[in-house]
Structure formats: structure tokens, C-alpha cells
Amino acid sequence: MIDGIYMHHLIHAAEPLFMGGRVEKIYHPEEKLLVFKIKGAGKEYPRLLISLDPSFCTVHPGTLNPDNPDQPSTFCMILRKHLEGGEVVSIRQQGYERLVDIAIESYNDLGIKTRKVLHLELMGKYSNVILEEDGHILDALYKYPIGINGFREVLPKRVYTAPPTNMQRSPDDLTGAELAALLPEEPALSLRAFLQSHLQGFSKKSLQSILDQCGAGERTIEGLDSQRLEELLSCIRKLASNPPLPPSELLAETDRSFSSWYLSQRMQHGKSRLMQAALRQSRKLRKKEGIYLQKVREAETGEDLRIKGEILSANLYRLKGNLPEVTLENYYLPEHPPLRIPLEEAYSPAVNVRRYFKRYHKIMEGKKQSEKLLAELQGEIEYLDSVMNSIEQATLKEDLQEIQTELENQGLLKTRQGKRKKEPPLNILKIELPDEAVLLIGKNNRQNDRITFKEASGNDYWFHVKEGPGAHVLLKNAGREPDEELLRLAGRMALRYSGREAAGGLVDYTQKKHVRRHPSGLPGKALYTDFKTMNIEGEG
């Protein structure tokens, strides 16, 4: 996380870029991210990014241009109303705290110049953005009535008060004598822990690094006096005043780090959302699967009913009147042991025979239907397994978007609001090989479907991991028979993009003319015959 010292250097490097610039547009792409497009900031960093995410709280010039929602948030609309068209007149940090105030001047509806301040409180899970004018809050991203957060009220029309800062002070205006007066009677307390509780702006890592450079990295507070503390403060001030990188490099590194972190977070968030949708449906189907399996197991009692019905039928001539039960020889077993057969005393033996056979046929018909539904259900479960495998293997935003479209088409995700944009071409991986050979690799079911049933010719070779979900790989070899090396390369790609390369495994391959669509019609599902199997060793 960016600490106050790093933010101090970041603000000084960014200030010249935005001072005097006009707020052209404000976006709120995510709950904890605000993007200000500043006219006059230059082409290199046209946007000011404000992140309140506890994992990466920052305000810095950036190049990231995230997707925006179709409908802006209420807070975004209020910011647009008050700040768009305004001029940035100051960007100021409060000491070394992660509190940054951005003052913007604009004209109101009456043509009067007003000055509004955007207070950025970048304090981890307590972060907030508050818009203030003349000391009163206009709006805040997070609103708190008094007592909710324990120390202040954050509501429109209330007086703005800065958050508490734990009485920490800047090392620039703290003396060794003042620090010595704060020493506790705990000689074993580490110097780093003591200083961090009283100095603004330092993370544990940055303060430890500075103390290491000052030669006091492992020291405790034992034996410290005002003179030694003044020497330490002087060393800390000197090192803290030196930016970790030149201004241009600092901006570039921060922008690169944040963009990398943000894109990684978006991928993980996207994967998690799609995985939850697939898992939710998979759990429903597996619950149904258990019910059908139970019905199939119960059908095993059907044979017992049939045997009893046939033995009764064969012995009707021996049975006189209505009986509660009979014991007859079981001629289905050696030595014909006696078999007790319960009867409904209200019915004649002949009617009891019919009732046994009726129950038998009912159970067997139920078993037949359950087995049919079970086969369909297991096909859907296999399909969802392939979707989840694609989600796990996805490394690009475009791949996740394709999987999202697939889940929407299958009714497993709600269709995105707003007018649907024209779907871009599928992001199929294409590897060109010597002698005009080409490998096409599907990384999700929509790509698999396109490769297998749109791009393939009858004599192309088709590869898939054996008995499991995974990528379809197509080898187009310009009409020539592929050699062993080429076949194994394609097989390894099938393992790699199915997440199994490290462990190795079996890969089936056949010509496309032996591959056909699965009767379920689900994307990416196929049946194949006339195949061979190769064993590819893992890379571990």
C-alpha cells in the first residue's frame, strides 16, 4: 500500500500536470474507483485516478481507462454537477497523512465563482471521498450518521471535520526532546514500533528501511535520549525527503503498478463472479442427480416384486380365499427355499398378482425415465465442468467476456443492462508453424464450438484431453499427414490449455470428419469416434 511519505512525493510530481487544468469528465466505474479526465493535463497522463480500495489506496495521474457503467452512480452525478468544467487550483496533502484536498473553482448557475474542495481520505478500509463547499458537506461517497463510525457525522449540509489522526506528527516539526518525552518505560520496545506510533506517513516497511539506512534497524528504545533521537530524526528527515525515484519515473512506476494490480483484480473478480454462477447451477444439478440416482437404486426392488408376482401367479390354483400372506417355494433359487409373500387381505389372490405386477411396471418405468433424465443431467454437469475449467484457465479479459456471453445465452447469468453491443470476434489463439501448418486453440466453449464446427475441414486433426473438460485443438496441416512431432505438439497444447500440462496425461485425437455435435446442442460439447490416444508426460 502507498504510505504517506510515498504519497507526498507522488503529489509533488503530479501537481504540475493538473494545476490549472479543467475537469472535463468524471467517471465512477466501480464503487471504490473515481476517474477524472482533466483537460490540459497532457497526453501522457490524461486522467486523475482516485482509488479507495484498501489494497491500493492512491491518487495519481494515470493512463488506465476502465469500462464505465451504462448508468452513472448518484455520487458521480453530483460530482459532475459541481465540478465538471471547473479549474483545479490546488492539490494539497495534510502533512504526511494520506489526506489529500483538491480545490476546484467553477461558476454556479448564477454565474458566481465558487470554490469546492474534494477531500480524499485514503485510509484503507476507512477511505472516503467528501465534497465540501464553505465548510459544509455537499455529498460523500460513504455517508455516516453520528455514532456509526464513532467519531464524526458525514452527511450532506453538516460541517466538514477532518478525520482523527491518532495524534501523530510530521517528522519535519517534531524535535528530539519532544520525542524523548514520549518514551515509555518499556526498554524492550522496538524503535520502529515506537516511532511509527508517533510519526505520520510511514508504513512498517518504509520506516524499517529508513532505520536500516540510519544504522538503527534492530534497535530498541533502551538508552535513547533527546540527543540520539534528534540525530535519528535528522536522518529520517533527510531520507524521507528524497523521492524513491525521479518524478517522471515515480509517476510511470505508480501508473504501471496500479494498472497491473487493477487488471489483475478485475480478472479475479470476473472469474469469481462467473465461477459462482456456474457453481450455483452445478450444485442444483448435482442435487437433482442425487434424487435420480436414488430412484434408480430403489428400482432394484422391482425384481423382488416381479419374482413374487410370478410365484403367486404360478400357484394361484393352490390359494383359496382372501389371505394376509402366503409362504411358497422360491423356484428362482436352488433348493427352492420358502418365500414369504405379503398379500392385501381385502383382495383375492388373483388381484394381488395384478397389484404386484402393476407396482413392478411402475417402478421399472420410473427407473427408465430416471435413467434418461440422469443421462441428460450428467451431460449438463459435464458441460458446466468445462465452463468452470475455461474460467480457471482464462488469462485475458476478452476470454472472460466470451464466457460471460455464453453463460448469458444459457440463462445462467442475467443479460447485461442497456443495448447490447455487437459481439467482437472470438479471441481464438492461432499458432502458425513451419510448412503452412496452423494450430487453432479454443480457450472456452464458444471458441471450441467455432473451431470444431466452423473452422475445421474434414481431414484436419482434432485433439482433446481424454475423459475430461478442456480445450479443443485443431491442427490444419495443408492436407499433409502430420508427423509424430507435430501430433505431440498439438496434444501438449490440448493439455496446456486444459490446465493439465504440468501433470501430463492422455490426449485423444482423430480427424474432424469423425467429430460431431453432441445431441444436447450445448456449446463446446462433441462426440467423436475412430480416435487414437497418446500419452504425454508432464513437465514436472
Side-chain angles (χ1 to χ4, degrees):
M1 184 189 293
I2 291 177
D3 64 12
I5 298 296
Y6 189 100
M7 189 166 288
H8 172 77
H9 298 299
L10 192 58
I11 295 297
H12 277 274
E15 191 175 17
L17 296 177
F18 295 111
M19 287 295 294
R22 293 203 172 272
V23 180
E24 194 171 39
K25 200 70 178 174
I26 300 173
Y27 301 101
H28 193 183
E30 294 183 32
E31 180 186 350
K32 296 182 182 297
L33 179 65
L34 288 167
V35 180
F36 282 57
K37 188 176 180 182
I38 309 293
K39 188 174 183 179
K43 294 182 179 180
E44 190 173 7
Y45 300 108
R47 286 172 282 276
L48 181 67
L49 304 176
I50 302 168
S51 170
L52 283 72
D53 194 293
S55 301
F56 208 131
C57 284
T58 178
V59 50
H60 69 273
T63 56
L64 184 71
N65 189 18
D67 296 331
N68 295 299
D70 296 326
Q71 181 65 38
S73 67
T74 301
F75 185 60
C76 180
M77 293 172 70
I78 290 174
L79 291 181
R80 288 178 178 179
K81 174 185 174 182
H82 290 282
L83 302 181
E84 282 187 353
E87 179 184 351
V88 179
V89 294
S90 74
I91 302 176
R92 182 176 60 87
Q93 182 182 13
Q94 297 182 26
Y96 288 112
E97 295 288 354
R98 287 176 295 165
L99 303 173
V100 179
D101 299 334
I102 303 177
I104 298 173
E105 290 185 349
S106 60
Y107 291 91
N108 63 19
D109 295 339
L110 300 176
I112 301 171
K113 181 180 282 189
T114 62
R115 182 188 181 96
K116 300 179 178 71
V117 179
L118 198 65
H119 297 281
L120 311 180
E121 302 174 355
L122 307 175
M123 303 180 299
K125 65 180 180 179
Y126 301 109
S127 296
N128 205 350
V129 177
I130 302 172
L131 182 63
E132 170 256 309
E133 182 181 17
D134 295 331
H136 289 80
I137 296 171
L138 294 175
D139 201 12
L141 179 58
Y142 300 114
K143 302 174 183 66
Y144 301 105
I146 194 164
I148 294 296
N149 57 7
F151 59 83
R152 62 174 180 158
E153 192 174 31
V154 180
L155 289 173
K157 299 183 180 181
R158 301 299 194 270
V159 174
Y160 173 75
T161 56
T165 56
N166 299 324
M167 304 303 291
Q168 292 176 322
R169 293 176 60 184
S170 166
D172 294 340
D173 33 298
L174 185 65
T175 66
E178 290 172 321
L179 200 55
L182 300 172
L183 285 169
E185 295 186 6
E186 298 178 46
L189 180 67
S190 72
L191 177 61
R192 198 266 313 149
F194 167 68
L195 291 176
Q196 189 157 14
S197 65
H198 295 287
L199 298 182
Q200 289 179 352
F202 293 97
S203 65
K204 291 181 181 180
K205 183 178 180 180
S206 65
L207 185 56
Q208 187 64 57
S209 175
I210 287 177
L211 290 177
D212 289 342
Q213 294 176 69
C214 293
E218 303 300 324
R219 149 148 223 180
T220 65
I221 63 172
E222 185 176 11
L224 287 176
D225 55 22
S226 59
Q227 181 179 351
R228 179 57 181 145
L229 285 170
E230 185 60 48
E231 292 172 359
L232 272 172
L233 281 173
S234 177
C235 181
I236 290 170
R237 292 187 200 105
K238 180 179 178 182
L239 292 173
S241 65
N242 295 326
L245 294 167
S248 61
E249 295 180 26
L250 182 67
L251 294 177
E253 175 61 22
T254 304
D255 183 45
R256 184 199 64 76
S257 297
F258 181 77
S259 295
S260 175
W261 170 85
Y262 175 82
L263 295 174
S264 174
Q265 290 291 105
R266 290 304 301 153
M267 279 295 293
Q268 290 305 315
H269 174 75
K271 283 188 172 187
S272 176
R273 188 170 68 90
L274 298 181
M275 188 66 79
Q276 286 302 315
L279 278 171
R280 191 162 50 244
Q281 182 67 8
S282 180
R283 291 190 191 105
K284 290 180 182 177
L285 296 181
R286 289 190 183 280
K287 187 176 181 180
K288 286 184 179 179
E289 181 187 31
I291 294 171
Y292 291 141
L293 285 171
Q294 180 64 25
K295 287 184 177 180
V296 171
R297 284 193 292 268
E298 288 173 354
E300 293 173 3
T301 62
E303 284 301 303
D304 182 58
L305 293 172
R306 180 183 65 80
I307 289 171
K308 288 178 178 178
E310 290 186 355
I311 292 174
L312 270 176
S313 180
N315 289 276
L316 277 177
Y317 70 95
R318 299 169 57 185
L319 306 178
K320 305 298 181 183
N322 295 4
L323 302 170
E325 65 177 50
V326 294
T327 301
L328 301 169
E329 298 84 0
N330 185 355
Y331 50 77
Y332 281 93
L333 294 177
E335 300 180 5
H336 300 173
L339 175 65
R340 175 180 169 275
I341 303 176
L343 301 175
E344 289 285 344
E345 194 173 0
Y347 302 108
S348 67
V351 172
N352 272 285
V353 169
R354 290 197 295 271
R355 287 173 62 83
Y356 266 105
F357 281 118
K358 184 176 180 180
R359 288 165 59 193
Y360 164 70
H361 288 299
K362 183 177 180 180
I363 286 177
M364 297 312 291
E365 183 61 28
K367 177 185 178 184
K368 182 179 177 182
Q369 290 297 323
S370 293
E371 287 175 337
K372 179 183 177 182
L373 292 171
L374 185 61
E376 294 174 359
L377 203 62
Q378 289 172 338
E380 292 181 41
I381 291 171
E382 288 177 8
Y383 164 70
L384 286 170
D385 287 343
S386 72
V387 170
M388 289 187 280
N389 183 71
S390 298
I391 294 170
E392 288 175 356
Q393 301 306 314
T395 57
L396 299 174
K397 180 179 73 171
E398 292 78 8
D399 294 337
L400 284 186
Q401 288 174 339
E402 291 173 10
I403 297 171
Q404 175 167 323
T405 299
E406 178 183 349
L407 292 178
E408 288 174 352
N409 292 340
Q410 296 300 316
L412 302 180
L413 270 182
K414 289 184 179 180
T415 304
R416 289 159 285 187
Q417 292 182 348
K419 185 178 180 181
R420 176 171 288 190
K421 299 177 182 177
K422 184 179 179 181
E423 293 180 8
L426 295 178
N427 187 40
I428 294 171
L429 179 59
K430 181 178 181 180
I431 300 176
E432 295 185 356
L433 302 170
D435 299 324
E436 301 181 34
V438 174
L439 281 178
L440 297 178
I441 301 170
K443 293 169 286 181
N444 56 59
N445 286 321
R446 294 183 70 226
Q447 292 183 16
N448 288 342
D449 217 51
R450 179 60 181 260
I451 286 172
T452 303
F453 301 112
K454 296 288 186 182
E455 302 291 337
S457 300
N459 292 325
D460 293 337
Y461 276 79
W462 183 87
F463 299 77
H464 194 281
V465 294
K466 190 174 188 68
E467 297 179 352
H472 293 197
V473 174
L474 190 69
L475 172 61
K476 301 178 79 69
N477 197 34
R480 297 184 297 274
E481 281 295 314
D483 57 25
E484 180 69 16
E485 183 179 356
L486 201 52
L487 290 173
R488 297 193 72 80
L489 172 62
R492 185 165 292 281
M493 292 299 103
L495 283 174
R496 174 176 299 175
Y497 289 94
S498 303
R500 304 187 187 186
E501 184 178 24
L506 300 177
V507 176
D508 291 338
Y509 66 98
T510 186
Q511 288 183 295
K512 164 53 184 67
K513 60 188 176 185
H514 302 304
V515 183
R516 67 183 188 278
R517 286 189 182 276
H518 193 275
S520 67
L522 291 169
K525 283 185 69 64
L527 299 175
Y528 55 94
T529 58
D530 300 275
F531 61 90
K532 296 180 180 178
T533 302
M534 67 175 82
N535 183 23
I536 297 179
E537 294 181 357
E539 294 191 338

